[in-house]
Amino acid sequence: MTTYDATARDFPRSRPVEHAVFLTVTARLRIQGPGASGDRRPEFGWWTGRDGAVTAAYLRTPPYNLLLTGFPADAAQPLADIHPAADPALPGVSGPTPSVAFGAAWQRTTGARPKASRSERLYRLGELAPPAPAAGQRGRVAGSDDRELLVDWWTRFAQVIGGPRPYHAGRAVDDPLAYGGASLWADGEQPVSLAGATRLVAGTVRIAPVFTPEALRGRGYASQVTALVCRQALEAGARGAALRRSGEPHQQRALPAPWLPPGDGLHHGALRSLIKCPATDGNRSPGTAGRRPG
C-alpha cells in the first residue's frame, strides 16, 4: 500500500464522489490493516498514460470483486492478463459501465465467459431536505450494545445484495462502531432501520449500508435514518455524500422521496456494472503487467 500511496493515491481523490467506494475502502485498510475485509491480502494497481500520469486504478480485497475506476479501453486486456494465474478465484468486477470491456478481455484470456449480474447507479447528495419524523420516532448513533443487531442486519443486507461469501459481518460492523458510523432509527423503543456512513475521505462520505427488515419496509424508516446520517456527516465537515443503489425492487423501495431525483436532493452519477467472472479453465496462459500487493 505504501507504493500505491506514493504513486496513485491522489488520482481517486481528484473525483471523490465518483470514486467514493475506492476511497473509503482504502481508508479502512489504512486504519484496520490488510485483514479488514478478509483473510487474504488486498491488491492495488494503477494505469499510467504516455505522459506518466495515473489515469486509472484498481483494488481487490478478497473475497470482494475487483473494483475499478474508469479505465481506458486499451487497459482492459493487460488488466485481464495479470489476474487469472494469480487470482483464479476472482468472483467478478465492479466499475463504471466501460468496465464491461474487461469482461470481453477476461474471456479472451481465460476462455471463461463472464456475465453481467446487475447494474447500480451512483448518486450524490444535493441539498438535504429531511422528512419530518412521525410521533414517537427518533434516530440515534448505534453503540456497542447494538453490535449483535448490527451484525445480523449487516449480514442480511449482504445476502439481499448478493454479497461475497464468506462475509465477515463482525469486521464490517466493528469499524463504524469505532467512530460512530452506524445509526439506527427507532419507532418507540424498537430499532426499525439502519444506515451506515464511512469515514470522511477527501471531503466525502459514502452512505452504506441502508437496511430495513422486510416486514418493516414501506413506512419511511429508511428515508429518516439516511437523512440522519447525512446530517451527521455534513455537521462533521463533509462537503458531499455518495450512495449506490441498484434497480432491484427492494432497493427501489429503500429510499422513497425526497431522496430520489430529479431535484429532490440526490442526483444521478455514473452507472456502475457488476460482472461475474467464472473460474478459469486452466487452458490459457496470462500475460504480464504491473501490479502491487497490499
Side-chain angles (χ1 to χ4, degrees), residues 123 245 258-268:
Y123 296 83
R245 292 179 57 215
W259 301 103
L260 293 177
D264 285 327
L266 290 174
H267 305 284
H268 287 292

Side-chain angles (χ1 to χ4, degrees), residues 28 43 59 118 182 201 287:
R28 182 181 171 199
E43 177 190 322
L59 169 64
R118 72 176 188 274
V201 184

Side-chain angles (χ1 to χ4, degrees), residues 11-69:
F11 168 72
R13 297 173 73 93
S14 64
R15 297 194 296 275
V17 172
E18 178 182 340
H19 299 145
V21 178
F22 203 100
L23 287 168
T24 54
V25 171
T26 53
R28 182 181 171 199
L29 290 170
R30 290 187 184 96
I31 292 170
Q32 289 191 297
S37 298
D39 297 327
R40 290 177 54 192
R41 293 180 65 83
E43 177 190 322
F44 299 84
W46 55 90
W47 180 265
T48 54
R50 293 182 178 179
D51 61 357
V54 175
T55 58
Y58 74 81
L59 169 64
R60 167 93 154 106
T61 52
Y64 290 90
N65 285 353
L66 181 70
L67 177 63
L68 306 180
T69 66

Side-chain angles (χ1 to χ4, degrees), residues 125 128 139-142 179-185 195-198 200 205 207 224-238:
L125 179 67
L128 181 62
R140 62 177 176 84
V141 176
Y179 62 86
S183 291
L184 294 167
W185 193 257
T198 63
L200 182 64
V205 299
I207 307 303
Q224 294 285 4
V225 73
T226 305
L228 173 66
V229 295
C230 286
R231 177 175 57 80
Q232 292 167 345
L234 295 174
E235 291 175 349

Side-chain angles (χ1 to χ4, degrees), residues 13 54 58 99 107 113 145 181 199 225-226 239 262:
R13 297 173 73 93
V54 175
Y58 74 81
S99 66
Q107 184 173 352
R113 178 176 295 179
D145 291 345
R199 288 181 173 86
V225 73
T226 305
R239 298 188 300 274

